[in-house]
Amino acid sequence: MKITLKSTEEIRNSLNELIGSVTAKNLFTGYGLFKDNIMFGLYQNGTLYIRAEDKFAKYLQYQGAVSYLTVLPKSKLNIGNYYRLPKILIEDKILYKKILIQSIEQAKAQKIAIEIAKKNRIKDLFNLSIKHERFIPSLLQYS
């Protein structure tokens, strides 16, 4: 059995019961947790951190969740949008499932927004490159 599978077996089994098939990939100092190729969680040293931003992050903080950066303030990684949930939220399986689904949906929406933004860049359009994108501002300048 691969180290990633062995190290994340317990958390994956727990999440599989709630939201279906979850995979894990080895990352920098922990493991990324994925649902349908969308990373929604970070598993490190036996602790699960859930991805959250904006209002959802504020809701989790209100419920007692702690940011990854609060737990490891000297971290050189820019992953402040991952939160460790309090045990009371994890023990309430219905609420825990809703939080996981919300995290996945939020990550999925952000991934789609990034893909759409990339398609609007000139260098990503057919037959055009970065040199064309750089040339356009000079065309727009008035003499």
Side-chain angles (χ1 to χ4, degrees):
M1 182 179 281
K2 290 183 178 179
I3 288 178
T4 301
L5 294 177
K6 189 175 180 181
S7 299
T8 61
E9 184 176 20
E10 185 178 330
I11 190 69
R12 285 184 301 104
N13 288 340
S14 146
L15 296 174
N16 286 343
E17 290 175 14
L18 294 170
I19 58 173
S21 179
V22 172
T23 58
K25 293 182 183 175
N26 194 4
L27 298 177
F28 34 91
T29 59
Y31 301 95
L33 297 174
F34 295 80
K35 170 81 173 152
D36 301 328
N37 292 321
I38 304 291
M39 184 172 160
F40 69 93
L42 177 64
Y43 187 67
Q44 184 179 53
N45 300 326
T47 304
L48 173 63
Y49 298 89
I50 299 295
R51 181 181 176 149
E53 295 180 3
D54 304 325
K55 291 179 182 178
F56 183 46
K58 288 179 184 175
Y59 168 76
L60 291 180
Q61 287 175 331
Y62 179 77
Q63 295 295 325
V66 180
S67 171
Y68 181 88
L69 294 180
T70 304
V71 176
L72 299 170
K74 294 182 181 180
S75 174
K76 294 179 182 177
L77 305 172
N78 186 15
I79 52 175
N81 56 344
Y82 284 83
Y83 295 84
R84 183 183 69 201
L85 301 177
K87 286 184 180 181
I88 194 164
L89 292 181
I90 295 170
E91 290 169 354
D92 181 347
K93 297 299 182 191
I94 294 170
L95 183 56
Y96 188 34
K97 179 178 180 176
K98 288 179 182 179
I99 288 171
L100 292 169
I101 291 170
Q102 176 66 30
S103 178
I104 294 164
E105 291 300 319
Q106 191 176 57
K108 192 180 294 185
Q110 186 177 27
K111 185 175 181 179
I112 290 169
I114 290 169
E115 288 173 3
I116 289 171
K118 282 183 181 179
K119 288 186 180 192
N120 290 331
R121 296 185 317 182
I122 289 177
K123 65 182 176 186
D124 292 331
L125 296 175
F126 178 72
N127 226 9
L128 296 175
S129 66
I130 188 68
K131 70 178 185 177
H132 296 101
E133 191 170 11
R134 290 183 183 142
F135 180 68
I136 289 176
S138 64
L139 291 174
L140 299 177
Q141 290 179 354
Y142 295 105
S143 349

